[in-house]
Amino acid sequence: MSTLIKRYWPVVGLGFTLIVVIYYVVQGHKDIIKKTKTISEVPSYAVQLKDVHYVYDDPKKDTKWELDAKQVKFSKDRSVIFFSDFYLTVNSKGKKCFNLKGKKGRYEKQKNLIFLDGDIKITDEKGYTLYTDHLIFNEKTAQAYSDASVRIKGSFFDIKGKGLILDIKRKKIEVLSDVKSLVQKSF
């Protein structure tokens, strides 16, 4: 029996060492799995940028726009762009069309929709200003919608109400309900 133990001692030692190593490797993976974030905790965006200045100028189109934002995030599939504390300037055919300022925005490329929230202020080249807290812009139809309180202010008028349809192509604005207007004309 003692010759049997002496003969297989190295193999038994290696087997025991292998069992101990496997045990600690398995235990180590359990700890790693416990410490990793679950899928719901993993950020839903792939890229995050801070203090962004982005210029879009397509020679095939007459429109050029510039976006300044404190933070921009792209979804993992790059189909949704989130931005915060933004200032947007849009120019068409070399002329300044309008400026847009707000707190939060989301652009869904596949739907061609832009959702804007928080202290939205739009000023056009003629000095007219539109204020609202929520605005949805459809790129395909060039229309914007809001169900929030709105205010449109110009040099001689001030219009307040609830809800809005803005048609950029036809240059038409419709305030949907609770409309109060003040028109001043100097005589």
Side-chain angles (χ1 to χ4, degrees):
M1 174 104 176
S2 73
T3 57
L4 186 66
I5 292 176
K6 287 181 183 177
R7 186 176 203 193
Y8 292 107
W9 170 247
V11 175
V12 171
L14 275 171
F16 181 73
T17 306
L18 184 62
I19 290 171
V20 170
V21 168
I22 289 173
Y23 173 78
Y24 281 107
V25 167
V26 169
Q27 288 294 78
H29 283 294
K30 285 183 183 177
D31 289 340
I32 290 171
I33 291 170
K34 287 179 187 175
K35 291 178 184 177
T36 58
K37 294 182 177 182
T38 63
I39 292 174
S40 63
E41 294 173 344
V42 175
S44 62
Y45 51 88
V47 177
Q48 178 177 334
L49 306 170
K50 294 192 181 210
D51 297 323
V52 175
H53 179 78
Y54 181 77
V55 178
Y56 176 80
D57 190 7
D58 187 350
K60 297 175 187 172
K61 297 181 180 180
D62 293 333
T63 304
K64 173 186 174 183
W65 53 268
E66 295 182 41
L67 173 68
D68 290 305
K70 193 172 233 176
Q71 186 177 55
V72 177
K73 298 177 185 178
F74 295 89
S75 65
K76 289 182 181 179
D77 63 356
R78 303 226 185 232
S79 65
V80 181
I81 301 170
F82 304 91
F83 44 96
S84 62
D85 295 321
F86 62 91
Y87 185 79
L88 177 72
T89 302
V90 178
N91 299 303
S92 180
K93 298 179 183 174
K95 294 181 188 176
K96 189 176 191 180
C97 288
F98 63 88
N99 297 322
L100 192 147
K101 183 180 179 181
K103 296 283 183 194
K104 292 189 307 183
R106 181 178 82 238
Y107 174 50
E108 296 183 10
K109 288 182 182 181
Q110 294 168 342
K111 295 179 182 178
N112 292 312
L113 293 174
I114 302 171
F115 298 87
L116 305 172
D117 289 300
D119 298 329
I120 306 299
K121 179 181 176 184
I122 303 172
T123 307
D124 76 353
E125 78 276 3
K126 294 178 182 174
Y128 301 130
T129 307
L130 182 141
Y131 302 92
T132 188
D133 282 328
H134 178 71
L135 194 69
I136 300 171
F137 179 71
N138 186 326
E139 276 187 313
K140 285 184 179 178
T141 62
Q143 291 183 333
Y145 310 92
S146 180
D147 57 359
S149 296
V150 296
R151 181 177 184 189
I152 304 167
K153 194 172 180 180
S155 60
F156 65 93
F157 67 89
D158 192 357
I159 301 171
K160 296 178 183 177
K162 186 164 174 80
L164 168 86
I165 297 175
L166 171 65
D167 191 329
I168 295 173
K169 288 180 182 175
R170 296 185 343 189
K171 296 183 180 180
K172 180 181 174 184
I173 298 176
E174 181 181 350
V175 178
L176 301 177
S177 65
D178 299 332
V179 179
K180 295 177 183 164
S181 61
L182 175 63
V183 179
Q184 297 175 340
K185 177 84 172 160
S186 58
F187 295 98

